[in-house]
Amino acid sequence: MLGRATGRRAVAAVAAVLLGGTLGLTACGGGDDGGGKGGGDASRVEVFSWWTGPGEADGLAAMIEEFKRRNPGTQVVNAAIAGGSGTQAQAVLASRLQNRKPPDSFQGHAGAELLDYIKAGQIEPLDSFYDENNLRSSYPQQLLQQITYQGRIYSVPVNIHRSNILWYNPRILKDAGLSGPPKTIAEFKTALKTVKDRTGKVPLSLGAQWTADHLLENVLLGVLGADAYNALWKPGADWSSPAVTAALNDFAEIMKYTTAEAASTDWQGASKAVVDGKAAFNIMGDWAYGYYVNPAPNGLGKKVDADFGYAPAPGTGGTYMWLSDSFTLPKGAPHRGGALAWLKVAASKEGQDLFNPKKGSIPARKDADRSLYKGYLEYAFNEWNKPGVKLAGSFWHGVYASKRWHTDIDTAVGLFLQGKDVGKLQSALVNAAKNNAQ
Ligand code: GAL
């Protein structure tokens, strides 16, 4: 369970490192402005996310069913907008928030991304909601720190995802004569070349541009290690170091083994290429697991070990690169009663145990029913709670980078994909850090 001592210690360690004190520092907040208190229109609830695609939509659907069971009088509007990692949804959300037309609740990542919404005054604190529902003790204290600003709690985390997973096709590895998944970046580069030379299959599948950002965070972690990777997100970090140059050179080399055509697909296309026997490897978060194993028509109905294997992304064994999906109460939510009822389901043990086995994540609450988490998810629980596990925050999925920093890195990666110039990529990353680290 998340609440086991090791998990808590680990989150504590990363909380201290990653947010550099920006979240969760002060003791008690000022007067209660009513944030999160009950009441308000409960005739409807509009829930905003980007979970439309195969795999991730299943988890959301399961939680919506539970909501309907508990709230038969409330109409649910699933306002999910397609685009993995929220590429389209976040733009739509930003404009809705700016125009003061918020949904009743939206998905935001714990950490720096949430801090953006808080600082912009776009979401309400939920202290009363936490007290009324006795939630403060349901979550690991240190996870709460990731969603706390100036002593006030701002969202309801539903899960912990792991971003640093290497998914692979065991048959292609066998055909290539590889004895198992690569453990280091050096082994990875050799394995990619071997697959290419011996099997003619795509060595590493990639999808839309954001999946290259996702790959970048994995290569940075794999080359630098958790401590140096974590340090990159603090003010004054040295992005111009030779170690970062080496990581970016590795990134450039690894990118040569991906296919340009794949850029038109989202993460599901890249994940599917592995189980379809078209690609040997894919580096993706564990939402891919939900997509692989959920039954058709939404999932692919595949079997772990037989149809696909998994391992920590090369060079990242022993580190859990994490992120957490969490739901918010926007200021001016038109159906505040519906929103609070939604948050109640999202915060509940039942809601999380229905959502996470399908989503491919482990619950954020401490009291999950572990027997529901099989295969990869049992491994994920064990890894998360392993004594000595190191944590790193996913920059792409909201933990370390503000939305502006995230966009600046994406722009730099986009230019790199066109020009393949490592020097330019590094300068752009140096500037992005200078302009955004706080
Ligand atoms: C992440 C999100 C996950 C999953 C993934 C792919 O940002 O936290 O829940 O949706 O994007 O779309």
Side-chain angles (χ1 to χ4, degrees):
M1 274 193 250
L2 293 183
R4 279 169 33 181
T6 49
R8 282 202 300 269
R9 263 202 317 276
V11 179
V14 82
V17 174
L18 63 91
L19 288 169
T22 40
L23 283 186
L25 286 186
T26 52
C28 206
D32 195 336
D33 61 6
K37 274 196 176 149
D41 185 350
S43 62
R44 206 173 132 106
V45 62
E46 185 193 11
V47 177
F48 189 96
S49 75
W50 51 88
W51 299 330
T52 61
E56 44 196 25
D58 289 348
L60 181 60
M63 206 150 60
I64 288 177
E65 278 317 301
E66 174 66 4
F67 178 90
K68 287 183 177 161
R69 196 184 63 75
R70 292 189 188 194
N71 303 278
T74 304
Q75 188 201 349
V76 184
V77 179
N78 178 355
I81 291 184
S85 86
T87 40
Q88 317 301 326
Q90 297 215 16
V92 173
L93 178 64
S95 105
R96 288 188 61 175
L97 293 177
Q98 190 145 16
N99 294 321
R100 301 190 193 287
K101 297 237 174 310
D104 296 309
S105 184
F106 65 84
Q107 199 286 103
H109 291 121
E113 183 183 309
L114 196 75
L115 190 60
D116 282 343
Y117 297 120
I118 300 171
K119 285 186 166 170
Q122 292 167 328
I123 54 177
E124 287 196 30
L126 292 167
D127 304 272
S128 315
F129 175 83
Y130 268 72
D131 290 336
E132 278 162 19
N133 295 290
N134 198 19
L135 290 175
R136 289 180 196 267
S137 56
S138 307
Y139 288 98
Q141 192 55 35
Q142 293 79 3
L143 177 60
L144 291 182
Q145 288 183 357
Q146 303 295 319
I147 55 167
T148 298
Y149 180 62
Q150 294 185 338
R152 315 210 62 182
I153 300 180
Y154 280 87
S155 72
V156 172
V158 280
N159 66 3
I160 302 286
H161 264 307
R162 186 174 187 183
S163 111
N164 60 319
I165 296 293
L166 177 73
W167 307 96
Y168 61 90
N169 181 306
R171 177 169 288 277
I172 300 182
L173 264 58
K174 200 162 168 251
D175 291 348
L178 297 168
S179 58
K183 292 196 172 57
T184 63
I185 292 283
E187 281 180 23
F188 190 32
K189 290 188 292 185
T190 307
L192 292 170
K193 183 169 185 332
T194 310
V195 168
K196 184 174 179 222
D197 294 348
R198 295 199 187 152
T199 70
K201 303 279 181 172
V202 174
L204 179 65
S205 59
L206 206 66
Q209 180 171 313
W210 75 265
T211 66
D213 294 287
H214 186 104
L215 179 63
L216 175 65
E217 73 178 17
N218 274 273
V219 176
L220 285 170
L221 180 66
V223 175
L224 301 174
D227 295 344
Y229 169 86
N230 287 336
L232 282 179
W233 307 95
K234 291 172 147 181
D238 186 8
W239 280 80
S240 63
S241 70
V244 172
T245 311
L248 298 180
N249 280 326
D250 282 338
F251 175 65
E253 187 175 341
I254 290 165
M255 284 294 298
K256 287 187 187 147
Y257 294 99
T258 63
T259 44
E261 304 85 74
S264 60
T265 74
D266 211 311
W267 67 266
Q268 286 94 345
S271 297
K272 188 166 183 295
V274 171
V275 288
D276 283 352
K278 294 185 178 146
F281 298 107
N282 177 240
I283 289 184
M284 190 37 61
D286 48 12
W287 40 90
Y289 183 70
Y291 177 42
Y292 283 154
V293 303
N294 289 349
N298 295 330
L300 296 174
K302 297 290 178 187
K303 296 265 171 291
V304 64
D305 297 331
D307 299 319
F308 66 94
Y310 58 85
T316 74
T319 298
Y320 211 102
M321 183 138 65
W322 71 279
L323 59 126
S324 174
D325 295 319
S326 74
F327 280 95
T328 57
L329 177 61
K331 278 199 181 143
H335 309 94
R336 186 187 168 81
L340 289 168
W342 171 255
L343 293 178
K344 205 165 169 174
V345 174
S348 69
K349 173 170 153 39
E350 297 74 23
Q352 295 196 9
D353 277 342
L354 285 165
F355 173 75
N356 286 297
K358 293 205 154 67
K359 185 69 169 67
S361 38
I362 54 176
R365 285 182 65 111
K366 297 191 283 187
D367 53 359
D369 177 355
R370 281 189 72 157
S371 69
L372 298 170
Y373 298 83
K374 305 260 166 47
Y376 163 80
L377 290 175
E378 190 179 352
Y379 162 83
F381 260 111
N382 291 337
E383 289 277 293
W384 176 254
N385 288 295
K386 218 179 210 169
V389 65
K390 288 199 169 201
L391 295 194
S394 161
F395 91 75
W396 184 253
H397 303 283
V399 183
Y400 279 166
S402 63
K403 283 180 273 168
R404 209 180 68 170
W405 197 350
H406 174 274
T407 302
D408 287 355
I409 295 178
D410 187 42
T411 304
V413 167
L415 289 173
F416 171 78
L417 294 180
Q418 288 162 27
K420 307 287 186 312
D421 186 327
V422 171
K424 280 193 183 150
L425 174 60
Q426 187 159 16
S427 322
L429 295 177
V430 168
N431 286 334
K434 264 194 205 134
N435 295 337
N436 295 293
Q438 46 178 302

